[in-house]
Amino acid sequence: MVWVDVTLIDATLKSGQEMAAVADAVADPLAGAVALLVWEISPRLLDTAIHMGCRGCISKSSSSQELASAIRAIHGGGVFISEAFGGSAQLAGSGTQHRSGLTQRESQIITMIARGYTNAEIAKTNYLSYDTVKSYIPSVY
């Protein structure tokens, strides 16, 4: 398994399947931060996606520089909404905190524990030492 930093979901948002994909990606400990790449989005769906844990909504009409800036902002813990969708680009965020109050890494570790991974499997999957994994456990409980 490979853990990624940012998952971009290329979506049309014409059915409920994309929002299910957002929910699945946000719940996946290997998916990293999740962002939508869309032509258009309603304010209601954008709000839903952000409340589900999606960290960005990037317009497909974005320049390559804006796309790169968005990915860097999201990877850095921010939330990015393209100006085309009423955002002012990078929004103030909690830095590295998830809405659960855990860091991205802590959230990943606890999700893998809940799915039955051993500490050794978590360490190997995430390129961490066994002791590093053990050190995360007290901070997430």
Side-chain angles (χ1 to χ4, degrees), residues 2 18 24 44 51 56 81 85:
V2 177
E18 287 85 0
D24 290 345
R44 182 184 60 79
H51 279 82
I81 308 297
F85 306 130

Side-chain angles (χ1 to χ4, degrees), residues 22-139:
V22 169
D24 290 345
V26 167
D28 186 341
L30 303 178
V34 177
L36 288 170
L37 184 63
V38 297
W39 284 112
E40 58 184 14
I41 189 168
S42 73
R44 182 184 60 79
L45 283 178
L46 176 57
D47 188 54
T48 299
I50 297 299
H51 279 82
M52 291 172 73
C54 186
R55 299 258 299 281
C57 188
I58 306 163
S59 173
K60 287 185 179 182
S61 63
S62 296
S63 67
S64 58
Q65 290 88 359
E66 183 179 11
L67 179 60
S69 292
I71 292 170
R72 278 193 289 279
I74 292 164
H75 178 260
V79 174
F80 186 98
I81 308 297
S82 289
E83 291 178 20
F85 306 130
S88 58
Q90 185 174 359
L91 304 176
S94 56
T96 60
Q97 294 288 316
H98 276 206
R99 56 193 165 116
S100 65
L102 301 175
T103 66
Q104 185 173 357
R105 180 67 81 183
E106 288 169 338
S107 178
Q108 177 186 21
I109 299 291
I110 195 70
T111 301
M112 293 181 81
I113 291 170
R115 291 186 177 175
Y117 287 80
T118 65
N119 289 356
E121 290 169 327
I122 294 168
K124 183 177 179 183
T125 299
N126 295 291
Y127 304 102
L128 299 170
S129 75
Y130 181 83
D131 289 334
T132 298
V133 172
K134 284 177 34 180
S135 74
Y136 277 106
I137 294 171
S139 68

